[in-house]
Amino acid sequence: FDMYVIPHNSMSREFERGLKLARKKNVVVWNMKPFGCGDTGVGLLNYDSSDRGQLPEVMKDEECLRFVLSNPGVTIAIPGSSTLAYLKRNIAIAATFKPLSTKERADVTARADRIKTGVCGLCEKPCEFACPNEVPISLILSKKQMDSRFMYDTRQNSAYYSGMDHDYMDCDGCGECEAVCEQKFEIRKDMATAHQRLSELRAIKMTH
């Protein structure tokens, strides 16, 4: 391989073994999503205080980009630059770049991990294995979070939700999912909220 393209940031560090291997093999690494996703920092730079499932923890844009650029395995980072203001910000950070110290890296990853604990879907998904009705719980809850912390186009997510083979309406309220949830989410309540929100947005889209 000539190039290794990965999504990698302070919260999602699953590919660091690959980064080390790429460096050893002299393979170019193209690092996507240093802010989480997009130039607004999906999940890392923003949060919705009205969502009780989220932790009020945020990162600085400079910390996010420095974290990625400090990794010796990364050849180039591609942060989002959808506006001139974001482009200028990214250039300014790169122009004054200094690698994170060991202490700074530990602090950044610790705060990123606290953000991660408020995000559904970043585990082995035991809830879905426990569900007798095959409801894709973590997928549905992550779609809801994209509307709040993650700020994705939720109307598109709602359309995706409406096309699922199984959804919240297949839940019989048994609670098996909550019994195995590593983060102790109130899944049944969260699923009901996600279903209502995604259904409402789907209706809005249909009327337009």
Side-chain angles (χ1 to χ4, degrees):
F1 295 95
D2 296 313
M3 180 180 289
Y4 183 36
V5 183
I6 59 166
H8 175 65
N9 54 64
S10 54
M11 184 170 69
S12 302
R13 305 189 298 273
E14 312 88 79
F15 296 102
E16 290 193 343
R17 284 185 60 195
L19 289 174
K20 293 178 181 178
L21 181 60
R23 187 183 183 200
K24 181 179 179 181
K25 299 292 185 180
N26 199 29
V27 173
V28 170
V29 172
W30 188 338
N31 196 133
M32 304 186 299
K33 307 184 187 304
F35 297 131
C37 187
D39 43 30
T40 55
V42 172
L44 288 174
L45 304 184
N46 301 281
Y47 82 102
D48 179 0
S49 60
S50 67
D51 188 338
R52 62 172 181 77
Q54 295 182 33
L55 296 176
E57 188 85 52
V58 294
M59 312 290 293
K60 295 179 181 178
D61 46 17
E62 180 181 0
E63 292 173 324
C64 293
L65 197 50
R66 284 180 65 203
F67 173 86
V68 168
L69 293 175
S70 295
N71 194 313
V74 172
T75 311
I76 183 171
I78 49 171
S81 300
S82 63
T83 69
L84 183 59
Y86 286 132
L87 178 60
K88 288 181 177 180
R89 174 199 63 181
N90 297 336
I91 291 174
I93 294 172
T96 58
F97 167 69
K98 290 193 302 183
L100 291 176
S101 66
T102 302
K103 182 178 180 181
E104 286 175 323
R105 178 183 168 85
D107 176 63
V108 166
T109 54
R111 283 187 288 128
D113 285 343
R114 288 198 291 273
I115 292 173
K116 188 174 180 177
T117 61
V119 179
C120 179
L122 296 176
C123 67
E124 297 300 319
K125 303 175 179 55
C127 56
E128 294 181 2
F129 290 105
C131 180
N133 299 325
E134 301 181 2
V135 178
I137 297 166
S138 62
L139 180 59
I140 293 172
L141 294 187
S142 69
K143 294 296 181 185
K144 167 61 174 65
Q145 289 175 332
M146 288 177 182
D147 178 42
S148 51
R149 177 153 208 148
F150 288 6
M151 298 180 299
Y152 286 174
D153 181 356
T154 316
R155 294 187 186 183
Q156 182 179 356
N157 289 326
S158 64
Y160 184 91
Y161 177 69
S162 67
M164 287 181 176
D165 292 333
H166 300 281
D167 61 21
Y168 173 69
M169 299 305 293
D170 294 307
C171 174
D172 60 15
C174 68
E176 293 295 325
C177 53
E178 294 179 6
V180 297
C181 178
E182 298 173 359
Q183 302 195 62
K184 306 302 179 184
F185 287 139
E186 295 179 299
I187 294 176
R188 287 170 288 183
K189 290 183 179 179
D190 291 344
M191 285 274 287
T193 302
H195 175 75
Q196 180 179 1
R197 177 62 176 162
L198 291 168
S199 297
E200 286 175 352
L201 286 166
R202 176 61 174 166
I204 292 172
K205 183 175 181 179
M206 293 296 290
T207 59
H208 287 76

